[in-house]
Amino acid sequence: MELINWVIDLGPSVMMPIIFFLLALCFRVPIGKAFKAAMLVGIGFVGINLIITLLLESIGPAAESMVERFNLNLTIIDPGWPVAAAIGWGSPIVPFAVFGLILVNIILLFLKATKTVNIDIFNFWIFMIVGAIVYTLSGNIWLGVTASIVHFLVTLYIADKTASRIQEDYQLKGISFPHGTTAIFVPVGIAINWIIERIPGLRDVKADPETVTKKFGIFGEPMTLGALIGTLLGILAGFDVAAVLTLGITVAAVMVLLPKMVDVLVEGLNIIREAAEAFLKRRFPDREFYIAMDTALLIARPSVLATGLLMIPTTLLLAVILPGNRLLPFTDLASLSFLFAMCAPYLKQNMVRLYITGIAIMTLVLYIGTDIAAGFTEAANLSNVALPSSFHKETELANLVGGATTPLGWIIIKIAGLLS
């Protein structure tokens, strides 16, 4: 357990380069080239994290100000995905779930039932937050572990099925995304795209970044979209002119810099991918393998990032108008792009379709979060997770971006409740 905690505490920016360096050596990459590839992956992760942190720290106060300005008074607070991750990694199921997830992946690879080699260990928390809630509600540790594994199996299946489409659309070879939050919403995106294709007028709207840029010139470029959206968020937050302009420039910078950091990471990744492909083809000529990655690589696309920012005020509005909702969107508002990043290729990177999908997804998330709040809060207490001091003791918790507030997570929790 202490070893697991030590590895996780390193964080993905350190853990992933070490993993990729060892993988490169296993695939017979010369040590110098392996070191360069691993360092590029690490530098890419650091760059991505720095820029995402810049975005979160800039958008967070704006979201908080909107909550206060519009006097939203809901009884369940969103403490953010870091709290959910701490609950997942702090649960008693951790040692059994982690080794169980790794073992299941190895068995499935051996049986040719999956192509994905899931080295994205940090994001195991997405599966384990579901297991932690199940364990909290049932008191059965094996039921909690099973819940995590079931969530993992479905996510792995979706990762395999979506890999080729995402690789083609994002120009990323040999990669899949078994992300237990994002992957689960892909069927929602596919269903909404199917509906839109049957609505005259709406199906003809072209709103992908390339078309927007071609039609509007400089006003359609990612940096301009970022500046406009950042400015709009600042105005809605009630910021003064200086703060509004600062937020506009910051969001524009994120729209330009984030794709460049992804390019650095992909440069290192390609060195290892090419070596792995050659190595594995020699030994398994009839097999194809995918390396699992975090969906942080996908949110750099302008259509995804811009739609995620537009969903911030939209989600706050939904929280107010949806009857029966008690969940107050808060910390995770700046991370909404993660929820539909894998849907984008199935929606033609069309921002109108992405926005409609975002509304559907957030409606589901708000209602699911409301329903599971009691179990989520108990799981936080059981994992001894320290919550912000500003939260009232009676406040219930449920976050927006995590495995428990997906439709699959909700179904697993409900079935486990019946079984227990």
Side-chain angles (χ1 to χ4, degrees), residues 79-315:
W81 70 262
V83 170
I87 295 170
W89 283 110
S91 169
I93 73 169
V94 167
F96 308 102
V98 170
F99 290 114
L101 294 173
I102 294 173
L103 181 61
V104 165
N105 192 198
I106 292 171
I107 292 172
L108 292 177
L109 287 167
F110 181 77
L111 296 175
K112 300 183 180 180
T114 186
K115 299 177 182 179
T116 296
V117 183
N118 195 348
I119 60 171
D120 189 20
I121 298 173
F122 179 81
N123 280 321
F124 278 9
W125 73 264
I126 297 173
F127 311 114
M128 293 190 295
I129 182 64
V130 176
I133 294 174
V134 168
Y135 168 68
T136 300
L137 296 177
S138 67
N140 187 322
I141 198 166
W142 298 114
L143 195 57
V145 172
T146 301
S148 300
I149 292 174
V150 170
H151 197 287
F152 176 70
L153 288 171
V154 176
T155 302
L156 209 57
Y157 175 81
I158 295 174
D160 280 346
K161 293 298 181 182
T162 58
S164 59
R165 183 70 175 268
I166 291 175
Q167 287 172 20
E168 179 182 359
D169 194 85
Y170 285 93
Q171 297 181 338
L172 297 168
K173 294 181 179 180
I175 295 174
S176 67
F177 296 89
H179 197 271
T181 299
T182 311
I184 304 305
F185 288 111
V186 170
V188 176
I190 292 173
I192 288 177
N193 190 70
W194 185 88
I195 294 170
I196 290 174
E197 286 292 342
R198 283 151 183 80
I199 301 176
L202 183 58
R203 69 187 175 198
D204 300 320
V205 175
K206 306 292 185 183
D208 59 278
E210 291 75 17
T211 301
V212 172
T213 300
K214 185 177 180 180
K215 187 173 182 179
F216 297 101
I218 186 65
F219 295 102
E221 291 190 7
M223 64 178 179
T224 310
L225 287 174
L228 292 174
I229 293 171
T231 300
L232 173 63
L233 293 176
I235 293 171
L236 290 175
F239 288 171
D240 59 32
V241 175
V244 168
L245 294 176
T246 299
L247 185 58
I249 294 297
T250 300
V251 175
V254 169
M255 295 285 281
V256 173
L257 294 176
L258 191 55
K260 297 184 184 302
M261 291 300 99
V262 171
D263 288 343
V264 173
L265 189 150
V266 170
E267 182 183 350
L269 195 62
N270 279 338
I271 295 173
I272 301 170
R273 182 196 59 78
E274 290 169 3
E277 187 175 40
F279 180 88
L280 293 170
K281 278 188 175 180
R282 286 196 301 269
R283 287 158 178 77
F284 307 98
D286 61 335
R287 297 288 304 275
E288 182 181 18
F289 294 94
Y290 305 137
I291 302 298
M293 293 298 292
D294 191 307
T295 44
L297 268 71
L298 304 182
I299 68 166
R301 186 64 67 92
S303 58
V304 176
L305 193 53
T307 306
L309 294 170
L310 289 173
M311 282 305 302
I312 293 174
T314 304
T315 299

